[in-house]
Amino acid sequence: MEDNKEVIKEEVKQENNREVKKKSKKKIIITIVLVVVILFLLIGGFIFYHGRQLGTLIAEVNKISNIQIADENGNLAENPLDMEIKTKGSYAVIEKTFKDYMSEVVTSTQNLLKTFGGEKMADFLTIENIKEDGPDFTNTKQEMESMRQALDDFSSTVDEYFDEEKLLSKIDDKDISEYYKELYKRLAVDEESSKQLKENMEKIEDSEKILEDSLVYLEKIINYLSDNKDYWKVIDDQIIFTSQDKLNEYNEIVLDIPETLQ
């Protein structure tokens, strides 16, 4: 009888051990499942975050590339660049670097447009300006000097704005990893944007040439009138020369229009 009790006890003990092992396995399986679920959630969150940030960054870069500083009539746009940073973390550093760069371009270009804007240069040769500011043309010469200085300032900085190496180097001193620096560089200069940079540079050089030629042309006319103020006067809203030789020289200057202005 005692032997039977011992056998039963041993069987119960073994059964309890099996139950404990089963429960331990269940705990291990549940733990593994939870870890896998958490990992999937973390990975999903990581992908979602970076995907969203990258998408927003690309959208902002595209907006920057297509901003209109002024309309076809030269009228300046108000606040053409949205400087609000829409991304976060290292993406925000990239976005800010892009926008700071473009802000410099916009400011420099707008300053030039303000100086040359409207009909300022054409107004120099109107009969109203000649009567009001002639024969010495003090104000006109000051304005033309301001225009020349603005053009020189713009010319000295525009090369930097459209130089690929300098554009790419804007990110080098930023406190972000190499991955994000490379991302900036891929977004800044790809095959299409590199082509666009060169085209824009050519257009700017053409525009600078036109402005320079216009200034030289106007300076020749104004300087001739001021240097020979004793030989002309305004009568019935017309410039009348008292010397035929001076009139001939004046006409030669006026008719010598640069090719870029023809």
Side-chain angles (χ1 to χ4, degrees):
M1 191 67 176
E2 289 295 328
D3 291 339
N4 289 337
K5 286 182 180 181
E6 289 299 324
V7 170
I8 292 171
K9 284 182 180 180
E10 184 62 30
E11 289 178 351
V12 170
K13 183 178 179 181
Q14 291 178 1
E15 182 64 27
N16 288 338
N17 287 337
R18 284 195 291 271
E19 287 296 323
V20 170
K21 289 180 179 180
K22 285 181 180 180
K23 289 180 180 179
S24 297
K25 288 180 179 179
K26 286 182 180 179
K27 286 181 180 179
I28 293 172
I29 292 172
I30 292 172
T31 301
I32 293 173
V33 170
L34 286 173
V35 169
V36 171
V37 169
I38 291 171
L39 285 175
F40 272 115
L41 289 174
L42 290 174
I43 293 171
F46 176 85
I47 294 173
F48 175 78
Y49 170 79
H50 286 277
R52 185 173 182 177
Q53 293 297 309
L54 181 58
T56 302
L57 176 62
I58 292 174
E60 288 301 302
V61 170
N62 289 336
K63 280 167 54 178
I64 291 170
S65 302
N66 294 300
I67 64 169
Q68 295 294 323
I69 297 175
D71 62 24
E72 58 185 14
N73 296 318
N75 299 314
L76 298 180
E78 292 186 13
N79 302 320
L81 181 61
D82 179 8
M83 291 299 291
E84 180 184 352
I85 304 303
K86 309 293 177 58
T87 53
K88 298 178 180 178
S90 296
Y91 294 98
V93 176
I94 295 175
E95 182 185 351
K96 188 174 186 305
T97 302
F98 270 116
K99 289 188 173 180
D100 286 346
Y101 159 78
M102 186 55 69
S103 179
E104 293 178 12
V105 176
V106 169
T107 299
S108 182
T109 305
Q110 286 193 327
N111 287 339
L112 186 68
L113 290 173
K114 287 176 183 177
T115 304
F116 282 86
E119 302 294 329
K120 287 184 178 180
M121 286 195 291
D123 288 344
F124 292 155
L125 296 182
T126 62
I127 199 66
E128 289 79 9
N129 185 64
I130 292 173
K131 287 193 296 185
E132 290 176 8
D133 200 31
D136 295 316
F137 297 97
T138 302
N139 294 330
T140 301
K141 290 180 179 180
Q142 287 179 350
E143 286 196 50
M144 287 195 294
E145 182 60 31
S146 296
M147 287 181 172
R148 180 166 295 284
Q149 185 62 54
L151 184 58
D152 290 343
D153 291 343
F154 183 78
S155 298
S156 65
T157 57
V158 70
D159 290 341
E160 178 179 349
Y161 295 146
F162 291 93
D163 182 272
E164 286 188 13
E165 290 186 6
K166 290 183 179 179
L167 171 58
L168 295 177
S169 69
K170 296 287 184 181
I171 200 70
D172 289 341
D173 63 345
K174 302 299 186 294
D175 188 20
I176 54 177
S177 69
E178 287 302 317
Y179 167 81
Y180 290 101
K181 289 181 179 180
E182 286 302 314
L183 175 60
Y184 166 88
K185 293 177 180 180
R186 288 201 303 271
L187 291 174
V189 181
D190 55 17
E191 183 177 350
E192 181 62 29
S193 61
S194 179
K195 179 181 177 182
Q196 189 66 44
L197 279 173
K198 292 177 181 178
E199 290 178 355
N200 287 339
M201 192 63 209
E202 290 175 358
K203 290 178 181 178
I204 286 174
E205 288 175 349
D206 290 341
S207 297
E208 287 181 306
K209 176 63 175 172
I210 291 173
L211 292 176
E212 173 65 24
D213 288 349
S214 298
L215 276 175
V216 171
Y217 176 68
L218 289 171
E219 285 170 346
K220 285 181 179 179
I221 295 174
I222 295 300
N223 287 336
Y224 185 85
L225 289 174
S226 64
D227 291 342
N228 296 278
K229 59 185 177 182
D230 294 333
Y231 295 94
W232 65 271
K233 54 186 173 180
V234 176
I235 300 175
D236 295 332
D237 289 342
Q238 289 186 342
I239 300 176
I240 305 298
F241 279 84
T242 58
S243 166
Q244 186 62 45
D245 290 338
K246 296 297 181 182
L247 174 59
N248 293 340
E249 291 174 356
Y250 176 75
N251 286 336
E252 286 182 11
I253 295 173
V254 171
L255 293 175
D256 188 23
I257 302 174
E259 291 184 7
T260 54
L261 306 181
Q262 295 178 10

